[in-house]
Amino acid sequence: MTDMDTPESPWSEGRFDGREAFRQSLRDALAHVRLHQLPWMFWSDPDFEDWPLEERDFVEQLQAWALQGGRLRMLASDFRGVQRRAARFVVWRKQWDHRFEARASGRARVAETPGVLLTPDRMLWRLVPERQVFVVTADRSQRTQMSDQLESLWQQSVGAFPATTLGL
């Protein structure tokens, strides 16, 4: 397949702002990882409040990508909001436990937990979360630097968002 034959990705690079632009870029990212059959994604956000995790289409795209063999790692300061707001995603998470890992950095590290969706070839990064200013980039050095930062936070965090809750 030549570059001319490569399907166009809906996930545009650039600098954007606004909640709906952010949510649409996340939707486009899922379409991108599916289209290109990318093997992994790393999601990071203090609470995933603005992510479209409650949307049926978003979870269906995630499901289709997981069926292709995709693996997801997710880092948050706290997952209680996700569990409360995103029932469809919670069901998906339980079903795909074998391809999903989650860790919590803790409420004390909210400011250190970046809003990022990282894939092998691109990154969405919220620069100013309160104003929903973000960039989508394929720049290798920026992705490598963010990957290193996420790995450091991952190592300092604890397992969270289990598929099942054990109790007595």
Side-chain angles (χ1 to χ4, degrees):
M1 187 179 252
T2 67
D3 286 342
M4 302 262 316
D5 297 329
T6 303
E8 266 310 300
S9 172
W11 197 18
S12 300
E13 290 184 66
R15 184 180 175 110
F16 308 93
D17 65 79
R19 185 174 191 262
E20 189 48 42
F22 176 72
R23 290 169 66 89
Q24 186 58 50
S25 192
L26 292 168
R27 293 179 197 108
D28 292 345
L30 274 185
H32 174 84
V33 297
R34 260 192 80 203
L35 180 67
H36 296 284
Q37 298 182 351
L38 298 179
W40 59 265
M41 287 188 288
F42 194 130
W43 297 357
S44 172
D45 198 84
D47 58 15
F48 292 94
E49 172 84 24
D50 297 315
W51 293 53
L53 301 178
E54 75 288 353
E55 293 179 5
R56 177 184 310 243
D57 289 344
F58 190 83
V59 174
E60 287 174 357
Q61 287 283 332
L62 191 58
Q63 170 84 2
W65 170 73
L67 284 168
Q68 295 174 334
R71 299 177 102 40
L72 175 63
R73 290 201 304 171
M74 201 169 170
L75 177 69
S77 58
D78 188 316
F79 284 98
R80 285 181 285 191
V82 171
Q83 292 168 308
R84 199 173 44 252
R85 285 187 313 273
R88 284 186 180 96
F89 180 75
V90 171
V91 169
W92 177 89
R93 184 269 171 273
K94 289 176 182 177
Q95 180 181 9
W96 292 95
D97 185 55
H98 59 292
R99 298 209 180 146
F100 179 88
E101 290 180 80
R103 294 181 74 88
S105 57
R107 289 177 181 242
R109 300 193 95 159
V110 168
E112 295 174 47
T113 307
V116 173
L117 186 152
L118 183 64
T119 72
D121 68 346
R122 292 198 189 166
M123 171 178 68
L124 179 156
W125 177 21
R126 282 206 291 188
L127 303 172
V128 187
E130 56 279 354
R131 290 200 349 245
Q132 300 296 341
V133 176
F134 65 97
V135 294
V136 176
T137 183
D139 182 87
R140 182 181 304 256
S141 65
Q142 287 182 335
R143 287 184 294 116
T144 300
Q145 186 175 18
M146 180 58 72
S147 179
D148 292 347
Q149 179 183 347
L150 291 172
E151 285 300 325
S152 176
L153 284 169
W154 186 264
Q155 296 304 318
Q156 297 170 40
S157 61
V158 297
F161 195 5
T164 59
T165 304
L166 300 175
L168 299 175

